[in-house]
Amino acid sequence: MFQDLKTLTILLRATNSIEQKIKEDISSYGLNLSEFGALEVLYHKGPLPVQSICEKVLIANSSMSYVIERLTQKGLIEKVKNIEDRRIHTIELSDRGRQLIGDIYPRHLAHMRSVIDVLSEDEEKELRHLLKKLGKQITN
């Protein structure tokens, strides 16, 4: 076993570099990371309650309220009250939001794949395996 923190330093630097690339790409579409995350979840999962979006995007409910408000103002999503429980809102993409994320997601995916494709398919699988192993060890 190594006794220094070199592996963690490399992991954090790589994460920061990738995160910066993601932010640059997403901002070129006039969105921030949280806005894009919410749109992307709705694009792939369909209409969802706010809490479900929070869990998928990994941001706090209070921050998600701001994101929902911004996306509503931009005309990209709509809030629909639950008929059975009027306290619950389901969030869904508007036609404009569906068009936007449908246009930008494939470009974003291609850009992000260009970052990851420095790895072979086997290396990418191994990296996923190792990162999951690290994550599980920390949460246990």
Side-chain angles (χ1 to χ4, degrees):
M1 272 284 174
F2 292 111
Q3 298 300 316
D4 63 22
L5 298 176
K6 186 174 242 174
T7 302
L8 285 177
T9 301
I10 292 168
L11 176 62
L12 291 173
R13 285 187 179 154
T15 302
N16 288 339
S17 296
I18 293 168
E19 183 177 12
Q20 186 59 38
K21 285 288 183 197
I22 292 169
K23 286 179 180 179
E24 287 171 12
D25 186 59
I26 289 171
S27 70
S28 72
Y29 306 118
L31 299 168
N32 67 37
L33 198 55
S34 298
E35 292 169 338
F36 180 84
L39 291 175
E40 191 258 337
V41 165
L42 293 169
Y43 180 65
H44 286 102
K45 301 291 184 186
L48 292 169
V50 174
Q51 185 59 38
S52 295
I53 299 170
C54 291
E55 291 167 5
K56 302 269 186 228
V57 179
L58 301 176
I59 65 172
N61 198 357
S62 58
S63 297
M64 184 53 73
S65 296
Y66 175 74
V67 171
I68 297 297
E69 183 62 32
R70 296 255 309 147
L71 292 173
T72 302
Q73 289 172 353
K74 292 179 179 185
L76 300 175
I77 61 167
E78 298 169 351
K79 291 179 0 181
V80 179
K81 284 190 180 183
N82 184 305
I83 296 168
E84 293 151 10
D85 187 344
R86 311 240 346 129
R87 296 170 297 171
I88 298 173
H89 288 90
T90 299
I91 307 301
E92 58 187 51
L93 292 170
S94 66
D95 290 340
R96 183 174 173 203
R98 195 172 296 101
Q99 177 69 42
L100 176 69
I101 194 68
D103 288 344
I104 66 176
Y105 183 77
R107 291 186 283 167
H108 175 70
L109 175 61
H111 186 76
M112 293 301 97
R113 284 302 323 169
S114 73
V115 171
I116 297 169
D117 284 345
V118 68
L119 301 174
S120 70
E121 188 175 332
D122 287 341
E123 288 171 329
E124 185 178 347
K125 286 179 184 175
E126 180 67 11
L127 178 61
R128 281 196 309 256
H129 170 76
L130 294 172
L131 291 173
K132 285 178 184 178
K133 184 176 180 178
L134 274 175
K136 285 180 183 177
Q137 179 271 329
I138 292 169
T139 59
N140 287 336

